[in-house]
Amino acid sequence: MNLLHDLLGAPDPGPFALLRREGSEHLEVLRGPLSTVARLADIPLPEHADGDEAGPRTLALVPYRQLAERGFDRIDDGTPLACLTVESYDRIPLDEALAALPDTVPDVTDLGFDIDDAAYRELVAAVLRDEIGHGAGSNFVIHRTARARTDADPRLLAGGALRRLISGERGVYWSFLVHIPGEQGRTLVGASPERHVSVDDGLVMMNPISGTLRHRDLAPGLDGRETLLNFLSDRKEINELSMVLDEELKMMAVVAQRGGQVLGPYLKHMTHLTHTEYLLAGRTDLDVRDVLRETMFAPTLTGSPIENAARVIARYETTGRAYYAGVLALLGRDADGKQTLDAPILFRCADIAADGTIAVKAGATLVRDSTPDGEVAETHAKAGGVLTALGLRTAPAVHSDADIKDLAADPAVRATLLARNERLSRFWLAERAPEPVTGPLVGRTALIVDAEDTFTGMLGHVLRSLGMRVTVQPTTALGGLSAYDLVVAGPGPGDPADDSDPRVATLGRVVEERLSRRAPLLGVCLGHQVLSRRLGLPMHRRDVPYQGLPCDIDLFGVTRRVGFYSTFTAVAPAATLPTAYGDLQLSIEDGTGFVHALRGPGFAGVQFHPESVLTEHGPELLTELVTGIFTPAGVA
């Protein structure tokens, strides 16, 4: 194709992008002028006029530093929010495009990782010990960069890499090449497996992917089957996907009118790796640029809760992320003029500077069950596909398509995968149509105090489904409390005994005000811990954090499956205790006295997250708790 030859070989072709989207038999070619804007709201998306064709209008490269729009910490490396305005749009049949793309591999010098394996092990150990081990969050993604150099034209190197990625990489959401010309320009080429967010006809979708099985560990035949079954049953892998599922449900709670519905789980087969994934879907009427803003950025590349994950990343990473963990966002209009959005996460990608410097960033998801050696191996595996496409790695032997498909269809594999949903919350798994609500909480008002954990958005959806009128306010902008029937001291990261933490101090004032007025109060996670301290219960830091952990507990005489995201817990010597605010009834763990929940006259607290997808019967549990708060005479 002369078009591809010109774009990859002409002296000055201008900005352009080559995209192969999932399932497409065409390569899309986008050309047009490039501009930079300061905010996502400034991304150009022209209005639809009569006679306009449906299709893409703008391709935006959204850097990680754009987190500043949400007020989150990040290393500001100056990477621009760049927008290619689509003035020319072509679709080339895929077989013709592959024939036209370069098939040679220019010389590339491997410079190794910027952080060697030993140093990265130490970094992983420090995050596990000092962050997850001290309640800063449930998971964090810390990256390192594989570096290389070439004297070849970046466009030719990237064009050949794109050809090999399209031909050789299965399970890709987008394969892409984006060229920004000039001395300070760059060329990005990659194969992202993960949709971050899309909007089409008002349907918003997200696609959390987590858990990694390296195919070199998957032997053919019976051993391969057993390896895959062991992977699907591995608690670390299950917890990792559950945590990112909860985190993306938090985002869907903000952008979708009734929150997101969970579909899956599914296997995501790539050429060298297999992942597990869910699909989230909901309806939205937001501008697609607002959808982008409220979903910055994927927990699979940052961590949870997102705001504190950004702080941890800024502390532990010594360089900016450029476009890694940002998104490549294609904005457009459909035939009716409605906005469309398709945005994969920018990872599994090479960033080639105009001077031939190459950076391939890869991060490991650190959870309570992680090991330093395992996470080192994961970064090598995640960088491997792009490094192979650049000619820096030899492609490992892989199983045939038939082997992969046979394993995916195996009844035991399917049953093991679907078993992950057996004890999850039906609230998030079922489609929720608007319908009249009845029950004891209809018409009641609730204020949820958000201490930097947007689980509060999910909690709001559950309480609204019970008929309550809900307001969510952050600790940094808290109004009056007396106007609400119920105040929820909500969750957040951190040490509940650290009164110098502004979030903890604000929750303390909320708890004191409601208790002193005998006004209905519910504490969740950090809010529960602050309430427990005010009632005289000591705090204990668990030796092993309960982050993203589903457990069966005895909750006031009834066995409940609930989801924990905590490192600290209150401790009580007995299941009933007197306090200045009335007698306490406590749900405690046998042998340790760890407090799972408490209730007293007009108040209650839970260490777990009733709104989490890990809590099996969250709406019913909340109905019982909140109804009991409003009718304190029923509490023993």
Side-chain angles (χ1 to χ4, degrees), residues 387-446:
L387 294 175
T388 299
L390 293 171
L392 288 168
R393 298 286 186 275
T394 301
V398 297
H399 294 287
S400 70
D401 286 346
D403 290 334
I404 296 295
K405 290 175 183 175
D406 286 347
L407 287 173
D410 185 282
V413 170
R414 292 171 61 87
T416 303
L417 192 63
L418 291 174
R420 294 185 175 195
N421 285 355
E422 288 179 357
R423 307 283 310 268
L424 297 184
S425 170
R426 305 311 301 177
F427 180 83
W428 299 109
L429 294 174
E431 185 175 359
R432 297 187 305 282
E435 55 187 35
V437 179
T438 60
L441 303 180
V442 173
R444 298 274 198 170
T445 60

Side-chain angles (χ1 to χ4, degrees), residues 39-187:
R39 304 177 305 149
L40 292 168
D42 299 327
I43 295 174
L45 181 53
E47 292 296 329
H48 187 76
D50 290 342
D52 284 352
E53 294 184 2
R57 301 288 189 268
T58 304
L59 181 69
L61 285 79
V62 183
Y64 179 78
R65 68 186 284 267
Q66 214 62 33
L67 274 177
E69 286 198 44
R70 297 184 68 183
F72 296 173
D73 286 0
R74 79 280 181 260
I75 296 173
D76 190 349
D77 56 12
T79 305
L81 171 50
C83 300
L84 187 157
T85 299
V86 181
E87 292 187 348
S88 173
Y89 177 65
D90 296 279
R91 296 173 77 244
I92 302 173
L94 194 59
D95 56 349
E96 295 180 20
L98 290 174
L101 289 170
D103 61 0
T104 57
V105 181
D107 289 337
V108 180
T109 303
D110 190 344
L111 301 178
F113 279 98
D114 61 339
I115 303 172
D116 66 26
D117 287 358
Y120 192 72
R121 288 189 191 94
E122 293 178 2
L123 189 62
V124 169
V127 173
L128 295 174
R129 179 186 65 245
D130 299 333
E131 304 300 338
I132 294 175
H134 283 79
S138 57
N139 60 96
F140 302 106
V141 180
I142 305 298
H143 91 277
R144 59 179 180 154
T145 303
R147 302 161 303 153
R149 274 200 62 82
T150 184
D151 292 326
D153 186 317
R155 289 175 293 157
L156 291 176
L157 177 62
L162 180 66
R163 183 180 188 276
R164 288 182 284 278
L165 288 169
I166 292 175
S167 301
E169 190 61 81
R170 251 193 329 264
V172 172
Y173 186 64
W174 273 33
S175 301
F176 57 88
L177 186 161
V178 182
H179 176 65
I180 300 173
E183 291 184 3
Q184 301 302 314
R186 63 218 305 165
T187 304

Side-chain angles (χ1 to χ4, degrees), residues 21-22 28 58-60 173-174 195-200 288 292 327-332 340-344:
R21 292 194 265 177
E22 186 176 39
E28 298 172 77
T58 304
L59 181 69
Y173 186 64
W174 273 33
R195 175 208 328 248
H196 176 50
V197 65
S198 64
V199 180
D200 189 5
V288 294
L292 271 179
V327 296
L328 191 59
L330 189 61
L331 294 78
T340 61
L341 171 67
D342 193 5

